[in-house]
Amino acid sequence: MNSAYLYVRVSTDEQKRKGYSLPEQEDRLLRYCEQNNIEVKGIFREDYSAKNFNRPEWTKMLNIVKARKKKDQENILFLKWDRFSRNIEFAYQMIGILRDINVQAMAIDQPIDFKIPESTVMLAVYLAVPESENTRRALNTLTGMRRARKAGRCVSTAPKGYINLSHPDGRKYIAPKQPEASIMQWVFKELATGTHNAEQIRKMAKTKGFECERNNFWKIIRDPIYCGIIVVPPYEDEEMQFVKAQHEPIISEALFYEVQDVLNGNKKNTATNVAAKRLFRVP
């Protein structure tokens, strides 16, 4: 090996969980190249997930090695195979792409001699372990979020009108945030009258300082979280559940369901008649 491109990668959650850092990876790779008289042709620093190869720095590096005029043996170095990929299927595909252009991917802490047939077994292990870790972590996260929802807790980013807060013991919760909470109360009350349609009310709320895109506005006026109900989505053999929330509701359940009747057309909406009178100047 005479030369190599260095690839260092870390995602935000890995920095928090394992203390990975780009400078540390880079320093170790540079020392390895120095000790083995390897010319460093470039360093690519990635702050991105390894679930696939749609990563800015990886794409840039791949385009460079593809565009080289001489197709002599080239190398891409990284610390471990989990820096390369956390999806075994995509990893093998990328290894094949690199092989076609005479480029070899290598992990200095988990070296593989591709000339030895049995080495493919170790490669499979190195690639499978990170994917297994990701799958287990995702499952644990899902289980934890469902448990929290069943307990009536909001586990996502606070919706419009609320703010994310934490108890002294670290438990997170949401609480009404002013003036957005008052504007959301006004929005639901206006919708319940049926005098104006949802888009008109969204624009009226905007004049009050309430910024919300049309698609998101439709989602939030359908969300029972505002009347103190948490939705637990269906999963495997469990049906959808509606749980009484621990947070303070902004509106009553009666008002929320009244608004849903208007939106579903189960309650006469006078917005069309009002608009027609204005258009044709009907007294």
Side-chain angles (χ1 to χ4, degrees):
M1 186 188 305
N2 298 318
S3 63
Y5 292 89
L6 308 186
Y7 182 71
V8 295
R9 185 195 66 79
V10 68
S11 60
T12 304
D13 66 317
E14 287 176 327
Q15 286 178 311
K16 293 178 180 177
R17 205 163 18 87
K18 295 185 177 180
Y20 280 126
S21 72
L22 296 176
E24 180 185 5
Q25 294 179 52
E26 183 177 329
D27 181 61
R28 289 194 57 199
L29 287 169
L30 286 172
R31 281 190 281 114
Y32 176 86
C33 290
E34 183 180 356
Q35 292 167 2
N36 292 276
N37 297 316
I38 298 171
E39 177 191 357
V40 176
K41 288 192 170 182
I43 303 175
F44 295 84
R45 307 167 183 87
E46 194 91 79
D47 184 4
Y48 227 74
S49 168
K51 62 182 179 182
N52 56 50
F53 284 94
N54 296 326
R55 315 172 209 155
E57 289 301 303
W58 179 270
T59 301
K60 186 188 301 183
M61 179 176 60
L62 184 61
N63 288 336
I64 289 175
V65 295
K66 280 183 175 180
R68 72 192 196 283
K69 294 181 180 180
K70 293 183 178 180
K71 300 301 181 181
D72 295 335
Q73 169 74 43
E74 193 54 87
N75 305 279
I76 296 175
L77 296 183
F78 38 85
L79 282 189
K80 295 183 178 182
W81 285 99
D82 63 356
R83 302 303 88 203
F84 176 70
S85 176
R86 283 185 169 272
N87 182 294
I88 192 168
E89 179 183 355
F90 293 148
Y92 278 122
Q93 288 177 0
M94 182 54 67
I95 289 173
I97 292 172
L98 295 175
R99 184 181 293 117
D100 289 342
I101 57 175
N102 201 20
V103 176
Q104 183 170 277
M106 294 185 64
I108 65 172
D109 283 355
Q110 297 169 328
I112 294 290
D113 188 346
F114 289 95
K115 295 177 182 178
I116 302 175
E118 290 77 11
S119 65
T120 57
V121 176
M122 282 308 303
L123 177 61
V125 173
Y126 289 146
L127 293 175
V129 169
E131 181 173 358
S132 175
E133 289 177 348
N134 264 16
T135 304
R136 169 53 60 187
R137 187 164 56 253
L139 182 59
N140 289 344
T141 300
L142 175 63
T143 302
M145 291 177 69
R146 289 185 63 79
R147 189 183 303 114
R149 286 195 176 104
K150 289 178 180 179
R153 292 169 48 213
C154 174
V155 294
S156 56
T157 302
K160 289 282 189 179
Y162 283 95
I163 185 173
N164 289 104
L165 297 172
S166 297
H167 291 290
D169 61 3
R171 288 182 300 115
K172 297 180 179 180
Y173 68 102
I174 62 172
K177 177 185 177 183
Q178 298 298 346
E180 288 89 348
S182 295
I183 297 175
M184 281 304 304
Q185 290 176 335
W186 175 86
V187 164
F188 278 100
K189 289 177 182 177
E190 284 296 315
L191 285 168
T193 66
T195 305
H196 301 91
N197 62 39
E199 179 58 13
Q200 289 172 329
I201 293 175
R202 184 186 74 85
K203 292 180 178 178
M204 293 165 66
K206 188 174 182 179
T207 64
K208 297 176 179 290
F210 189 78
E211 294 291 338
C212 188
E213 295 298 324
R214 180 183 301 179
N215 290 340
N216 191 41
F217 186 75
W218 272 99
K219 290 178 182 178
I220 65 177
I221 60 180
R222 292 284 196 177
D223 195 341
I225 197 169
Y226 291 100
C227 68
I229 294 177
I230 295 290
V231 178
V232 184
Y235 180 68
E236 294 185 344
D237 59 343
E238 292 186 7
E239 296 182 352
M240 182 180 292
Q241 301 175 45
F242 298 89
V243 180
K244 184 175 178 57
Q246 295 183 14
H247 65 265
E248 177 186 345
I250 287 178
I251 61 172
S252 67
E253 288 187 35
L255 176 57
F256 176 80
Y257 288 114
E258 189 176 355
V259 168
Q260 304 316 300
D261 282 340
V262 171
L263 297 176
N264 293 333
N266 297 330
K267 180 178 179 181
K268 186 177 180 181
N269 190 319
T270 60
T272 302
N273 294 334
V274 171
K277 288 181 180 179
R278 289 176 179 171
L279 181 61
F280 297 107
R281 296 182 180 179
V282 178

